[in-house]
Structure formats: C-alpha cells, structure tokens
C-alpha cells in the first residue's frame, strides 16, 4: 500500500484551506447549537462530511479514510467507553440497591445548613460521582439531593452545574486526558501533570462561588472556612495524584479527601447561623415543594397541602428521583457505622484495586501479560514533515486498562453487596441500553477526530491558527471552552481540538503540552452551558423548559472563570513557565 503524505495547503490558499477544514466542525456546531439535533446525528453528519473532504481535497485514499474512521471508533470504545460503561455500572450497583440512599442520608445528617450541604454534596460528592461516571450523572444526582434537602429547584440545578467544573478534566476515571493523550501522542503522564497544574486553581474558587450563589455575601462570610478547607484539600490532592500517582484516581481521592476534611472541620467549627431552608422564592422562580411521604401524592407548601394534580400558578410540579430521600428533616438520624462503611465500599474497592495495580511488580505483569502495540491495518500516513503520524499506532492494554480494573471493582462490589449474578448482568445490560446513544456519539466524534487528524485537515487548521502568533495563547482556552459548550463533553472536545492545539502551538512557538492541557482545563468551564447538561439538570429537578434561564444565570460565572484561567495560561507561557512539565 503506497504511503499517504498529508497536505498542509490543499487549495493554494491557507485561509481557504482552513475554512474548508473547519466545515465539519462548523456543521457540528450548527446542528447542535442552532437546530438542536441529537448529538449522535450531528456527529455522524460531521463525520461523513470530513470523509468526503479528506478524499476530495486532501487526496486521502478512500480505503485509508475508512480505516481512519474505524480506528477512531475503536479508540472511542476502547479505552474511553470501556471506562464509562464499567464506571457507570459500579455506580448503578449502588443506586439499584439501598446503599446510595444510605450514603445520601449520611451526608445530609452531617449538617442542616444548606450552604455546608452545598459544599459537601455539589462540590465534594459531585466530584466523586464525576470520577466514576461523568457525562451528566453528577449534575442530575446532586441537584436532586440538594432539592430534597430544601433548596429551590432552579438554584439546585444552577449550583450543581457550576460545581461540575474542577473535577471534569479527570472525570470518568480520566477519560478526557486519556483521549487527549491518544489524539496528540503526548504521554498520558505529561498531559495529566499539566492539567493537574491548572484545574486545582479552579477548585480553590468554586466552593466560595457556590455558597455565594446559595446565600450571597452572608453565606461567604459565615461559611468561608468550610469552602476554603474543601477547596484547598481538593486542589492539593488533585495536584498530587495527577502528577505523582495515577490519573484514573485523581478525582476519586480528591473528592474523598475533601469530604473527610470538611467533616473533620465540622467537629470543631460551626457557622454562626444555620440556613435550614432556601428562603422566600424570588419573583418568577418556582417554589420548592417538599413531597410528604405520608401524603399519598399530595404536596405541602407553607403549611397548606395541595394535591399534586393542582393548577397553582408559579409552582413547579416536581418528580423526585427514586434514589433521593424526600422531605428529609434537618438533623436526620445518621446511619449506623456498618451501613456507612457498606455505602462507601464501592469507592474504597476502586481505590484498593487501582492502588494494587500500581505496585511495580503487578503493573509490570499486567503490561507484559496483556499489553501490546500494533499498527492499525489499512493505514500508512506520513506527515508533511515526512515522518509517520503517531496516531496510527494503537496501544492495547486489556488487562491494566482502566475499564477492566473498574469491571473487577464492580465484580467485587457485586459480591460484597450479595447481588445475584443474574441481577448484576441485568444492571449491566440496563447500563448499556442507557448509554446506547452516548456510545454512538462518542465513537462518531472520535472517528471524526481521527479522520481530521490523519487526513491533514487538523494540521491545516492548526497552521492557519498559528498565524496569530503569540496571540494564540488567548485563543487556545476559548477553543476548549467552545468545544465543551457545544458537545457537552470534555472528552469529545479534546478529541476534536487536541491535535489542532498541538499543531498551532508548535508553529506559534508555544508549548504543545501547555496548549493541549489548556484545551481540557478551559473546556470544563463550558460544560455548565452545554445544552445536554442544561437539559439533564432541568429534568432532574422538574423544571423542563427553563434551560434558557439556567443558561443566563451561569453565563457570567462561566465567562468569568474562563477569563481567570486564561490569565493563568498566559502566565504559564512566561512568568510561570517552570510549571510546564
């Protein structure tokens, strides 16, 4: 098979070539943002267009274009979706039993203060859920838990969306940075280290913003010790684990450490006042209706009881998720110690399994027994510099893969919870069914990424953007932010723009490692504005149709945090260049 050499300027004009190369991305954004098409439909349409452009203008042989598509789809499933599927399965093993409710009751029994619960549930526990599942699950779960604790629906959704920022770059057991490493060829440890030197700064700020949203300046003044302790501990552990341990456990350990730190603080400190309810609803915002377990479907508001089929104006009818305890009173009884240990057992099992896998002897055996590299069949791609493109070499580690270790953790959890094997299989199939469109979307987006990267389309875009010179350092964070805001996934954004960031950085004289990691770190700030996550949050608290209200509430916070991160990235190109590995 003759080698295919990439072309940087297929039309004789770099500007026209870049515009042509951007068409698949533009189509993706228009279908998602304007026509609100399903993500999998938009991804497939953009993939088809990128294949046509690769063959027609970049002169990539049809066979190699199709082979690149297959490689991208395969990489989307293994290792990325293999992580998500098994992580979500472990989580579902808790929600399908009573142990998730026990965990929620444990957290709610710690404090009756909504501001403290916001830090514990939305920030700390949400980070733990992001580490295990990601893809909207933390937002849905924490929003429902906050609403059950007494927070108004709209505020619950907004708080949960904003909290779902700092952990996202390492969410779903490190899927975003794993994908970034795969499409750029930068070693995973290097990408992880750089991202771990950016996102912890967000963790320092986010808890303070959360209590400000819940209770304004008074909330910050009265609860800043808890916000600072939770943020600082999370940031430190996130940095240490991502740089010196293992990327997959970054948010697991950071989330658990932050929860433990806040709980220890509460033993010696309490806020001056306790905020036990969400106050009087502002004009135009639905009130919170606590459904009474004994009301037979009735709802209670201000001492009056209204049947759930009523027509009260301005009141949102809410359906609580089955796993959320409803109407939990302040100071709820804490479960027994044995039940608490059982509730956190899956997370402890995951930590233990991943820790054992990092023991040098075990790690070497797993690599030797189940790992190998191979050239993807049907591909022979040479870059414009005459060197083979690295992304056509596939590494397959089926034993030490994150998804496999999660599968082992799930099997241990299955035995620990005494769930019948048949029930475990049914839960697994249910998980697959729930993720069927996500699976198609991720595979399509990764296929699109590989076609654009291997055909040279991404290279053309990167060279064109590099013409901005040093100003590209300001463009880089915005690209990541836009990618996640439109696709709803940091993994997808990294797959689309990761190689583009590296190419542009190389031509602009900037650090490819810094710009690649920035795509992921800045991308997390766009997640709170993505249509998918807004819809998930609104549905979780029963305010479907108010997604635009949520968007307006969060836009300023998202842009403000993006500006702060951009300043950090600019400093890391010069004054703080020592932070770049």
């Amino acid at each position: 098979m003759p080698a295919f050499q990439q072309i940087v300027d297929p039309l004789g004009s770099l500007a026209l070539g870049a515009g042509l190369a951007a068409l698949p991305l533009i189509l993706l954004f228009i279908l998602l943002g304007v026509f609100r098409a399903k993500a999998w439909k938009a991804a497939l349409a953009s993939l088809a267009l990128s294949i046509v452009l690769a063959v027609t203008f970049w002169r990539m042989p049809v066979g190699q274009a199709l082979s690149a598509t297959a490689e991208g789809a395969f990489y989307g499933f293994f290792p990325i979706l293999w992580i998500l599927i098994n992580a979500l399965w472990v989580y579902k093993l808790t929600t399908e039993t009573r142990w998730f409710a026990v965990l929620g009751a444990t957290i709610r029994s710690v404090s009756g203060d909504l501001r403290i619960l916001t830090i514990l549930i939305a920030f700390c526990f949400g980070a733990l859920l992001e580490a295990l599942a990601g893809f909207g699950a933390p937002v849905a779960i924490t929003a429902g838990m906050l609403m059950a604790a007494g927070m108004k629906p709209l505020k619950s959704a907004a708080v949960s969306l904003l909290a779902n920022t700092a952990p996202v770059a390492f969410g779903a057991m490190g899927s975003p940075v794993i994908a970034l490493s795969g499409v750029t060829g930068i070693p995973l440890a290097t990408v992880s280290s750089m991202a771990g030197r950016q996102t912890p700064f967000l963790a320092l700020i986010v808890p303070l913003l959360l209590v400000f949203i819940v209770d304004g300046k008074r909330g910050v003044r009265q609860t800043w010790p808890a916000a600072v302790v939770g943020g600082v501990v999370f940031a430190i552990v996130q940095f240490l684990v991502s740089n010196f341990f293992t990327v997959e456990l970054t948010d697991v350990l950071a989330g658990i450490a932050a929860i433990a730190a806040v709980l220890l603080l509460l033993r010696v400190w309490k806020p001056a006042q306790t905020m036990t309810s969400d106050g009087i609803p502002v004009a135009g915002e639905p009130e919170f209706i606590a459904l009474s377990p004994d009301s037979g479907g009735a709802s209670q508001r201000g001492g009056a009881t209204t049947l759930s089929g009523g027509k009260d104006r301005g009141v949102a009818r809410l359906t609580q998720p089955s796993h959320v305890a409803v109407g939990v009173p302040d100071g709820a009884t804490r479960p027994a110690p044995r039940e608490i240990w059982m509730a956190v057992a899956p997370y402890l099992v995951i930590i233990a399994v991943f820790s054992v896998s990092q023991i040098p002897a075990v790690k070497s055996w797993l690599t030797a027994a189940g790992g190998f590299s191979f050239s993807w069949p049907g591909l022979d791609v040479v870059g414009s510099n005459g060197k083979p493109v690295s992304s056509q070499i596939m590494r397959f580690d089926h034993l030490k893969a994150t998804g496999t270790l999660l599968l082992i953790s799930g099997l241990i959890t299955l035995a620990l919870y005494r769930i019948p094997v048949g029930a475990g299989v049914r839960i697994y199939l249910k998980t697959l069914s729930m993720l069927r469109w996500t699976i198609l979307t991720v595979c399509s987006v990764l296929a699109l990424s590989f076609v654009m990267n291997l055909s040279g389309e991404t290279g053309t875009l990167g060279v064109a953007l590099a013409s901005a010179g040093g100003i590209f350092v300001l463009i880089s964070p915005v690209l990541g932010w836009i990618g996640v805001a439109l696709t709803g996934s940091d993994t997808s954004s990294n797959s689309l723009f990761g190689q583009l960031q590296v190419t542009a950085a190389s031509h602009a004289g900037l650090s490819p490692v810094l710009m690649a990691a920035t795509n992921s770190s800045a991308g997390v700030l766009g997640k709170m504005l993505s249509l998918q996550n807004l819809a998930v949050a609104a549905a979780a608290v029963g305010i479907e149709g108010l997604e635009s209200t949520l968007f307006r509430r969060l836009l300023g916070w998202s842009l403000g945090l993006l500006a702060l991160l951009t300043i950090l990235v600019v400093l890391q190109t010069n004054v703080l260049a020592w932070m770049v590995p």
Side-chain angles (χ1 to χ4, degrees):
M1 178 177 59
F4 161 66
Q5 184 163 13
Q6 295 177 342
I7 305 170
V8 175
D9 188 3
L11 299 180
S13 168
L14 191 57
L16 290 177
L20 195 65
L23 285 180
L25 301 178
I26 294 172
L27 176 63
L28 179 68
F29 296 161
I30 290 176
L31 290 176
L32 285 174
V34 179
F35 294 100
R36 299 191 178 186
K38 299 290 185 182
W40 65 270
K41 292 182 179 179
L44 284 176
S46 300
L47 170 60
L49 178 57
S50 70
I51 293 173
V52 171
L53 293 176
V55 172
T56 306
F57 294 96
W58 275 263
R59 303 168 196 169
M60 189 178 198
V62 175
Q64 295 211 46
L66 295 177
S67 183
T69 302
E71 184 188 15
F74 179 83
Y75 188 81
F77 189 85
F78 189 95
I80 296 173
L81 285 168
W82 184 234
I83 296 171
L84 174 60
I85 292 168
N86 289 301
L88 199 54
W89 179 54
V90 175
Y91 161 70
K92 293 294 286 184
L93 291 176
T94 65
T95 60
E96 294 288 334
T97 61
R98 69 187 185 90
W99 297 112
F100 185 84
V102 172
L103 183 61
T106 301
I107 294 176
R108 288 190 298 273
S109 69
V110 170
S111 173
D113 193 310
L114 273 184
R115 301 163 300 183
I116 301 298
L117 289 178
T118 295
I119 298 170
L120 282 171
I121 295 174
F123 182 73
C124 302
F125 186 55
L128 190 59
L129 292 175
E130 179 65 32
L132 291 177
F135 293 89
V139 171
I141 296 163
T142 58
M145 291 177 69
L146 287 173
M147 192 175 67
M151 189 176 292
K152 290 178 287 184
L154 199 60
K155 187 176 289 184
S156 298
V159 163
S160 297
L161 284 164
L162 180 58
N164 191 223
T165 51
V168 168
F170 299 98
M173 306 307 289
S175 292
V177 289
I178 289 173
L180 186 61
S181 173
V183 299
T184 61
I186 300 174
L188 177 59
T190 304
V191 174
S192 170
S193 295
M194 188 64 248
R197 302 175 192 191
Q198 293 177 322
T199 56
F201 290 97
L202 298 176
L204 298 175
I205 301 171
V206 169
L208 291 168
L209 296 182
L210 295 178
V211 294
F212 179 80
I213 291 175
V214 172
D215 195 31
K217 293 181 180 179
R218 180 183 64 180
V220 175
R221 185 174 63 252
Q222 293 184 355
T223 63
W224 68 264
V228 169
V229 167
V232 168
V233 170
F234 185 93
I236 291 173
V237 176
Q238 189 181 55
F239 163 72
L240 292 175
V241 177
S242 62
N243 277 262
F244 305 110
F245 190 35
T246 175
V247 60
E248 293 88 355
L249 288 180
T250 298
D251 284 343
V252 173
L253 294 177
I256 290 176
I259 291 173
V262 175
L263 293 181
L264 287 174
L265 174 68
L266 292 176
R267 288 179 173 270
V268 298
W269 168 88
K270 301 287 182 185
Q273 294 177 306
T274 300
M275 181 182 180
T276 57
S277 66
D278 210 5
I280 301 174
V282 299
E285 180 170 340
E287 295 178 36
F288 168 68
I289 301 176
L291 301 180
S292 171
D294 302 319
S295 62
S299 58
Q300 297 178 337
R301 183 183 66 181
T305 300
T306 305
L307 295 177
S308 58
K311 301 291 184 180
D312 289 8
R313 293 182 61 185
V315 177
R317 296 299 168 199
L318 310 176
T319 302
Q320 294 280 3
S322 60
H323 59 265
V324 176
V326 180
V328 178
D330 297 322
T333 303
R334 182 177 300 183
R338 180 184 177 278
E339 294 211 325
I340 294 176
W341 281 111
M342 287 294 288
V344 300
Y347 314 110
L348 299 179
V349 167
I350 288 173
I351 293 173
V353 169
F354 276 87
S355 298
V356 170
S357 72
Q358 295 302 309
I359 297 174
V362 176
K363 188 174 184 178
S364 298
W365 179 83
L366 290 173
T367 302
F372 57 91
S373 299
F374 63 97
S375 297
W376 188 263
L379 281 178
D380 187 1
V381 181
V382 177
S384 57
N385 57 4
K387 297 179 180 180
V389 178
S390 61
S391 57
Q392 58 192 322
I393 305 298
M394 181 69 67
R395 177 70 187 175
F396 189 70
D397 286 307
H398 58 279
L399 287 183
K400 76 168 188 177
T402 302
T404 302
L405 297 178
L406 284 169
L407 178 62
I408 294 172
S409 302
L411 293 174
I412 296 173
T413 302
L414 202 68
L416 194 63
Y417 282 174
R418 298 181 181 179
I419 300 173
V421 175
V425 172
R426 285 194 296 274
I427 295 172
Y428 200 97
L429 294 176
K430 183 178 178 181
T431 302
L432 284 173
S433 176
M434 183 176 66
L435 291 174
R436 62 189 183 277
W437 299 118
T438 300
I439 291 173
L440 181 57
T441 300
V442 172
C443 286
S444 300
V445 169
L446 264 296
L448 168 63
S449 170
F450 271 67
V451 170
M452 292 189 66
N453 291 343
L454 288 168
S455 67
E457 294 170 16
T458 300
T460 301
L461 267 175
V463 172
L465 286 173
S467 62
I471 299 178
F472 181 72
V473 72
L474 302 177
I475 300 174
S476 176
V478 177
L479 280 177
W481 181 83
I482 291 174
V484 178
L486 290 171
T487 66
S489 166
D490 201 36
T491 300
S492 297
S493 177
N494 286 344
S495 301
L496 286 173
F497 294 141
Q499 185 58 44
L500 187 153
Q501 296 269 18
V502 168
T503 303
S506 298
H507 285 81
L510 300 169
S511 167
V513 173
L514 174 60
M515 295 300 100
T518 296
N519 192 83
S520 189
S521 300
V524 305
L525 302 174
K527 193 165 186 179
M528 68 182 83
L529 302 179
S530 69
L531 293 175
Q532 296 94 314
N533 284 281
L534 289 171
V536 166
V541 298
I543 55 171
E544 294 92 338
L546 292 182
E547 289 86 355
S548 59
T549 303
L550 275 175
F551 180 88
R552 290 193 297 272
R553 284 199 169 198
L554 293 168
L555 179 60
W557 297 115
S558 180
L559 292 175
L561 289 171
L562 177 63
L564 290 176
L565 186 66
T566 301
I567 292 172
L568 172 64
V569 173
V570 171
L571 292 175
Q572 287 177 332
T573 62
N574 42 72
V575 180
L576 301 178
W578 53 268
M579 295 181 67
V580 181

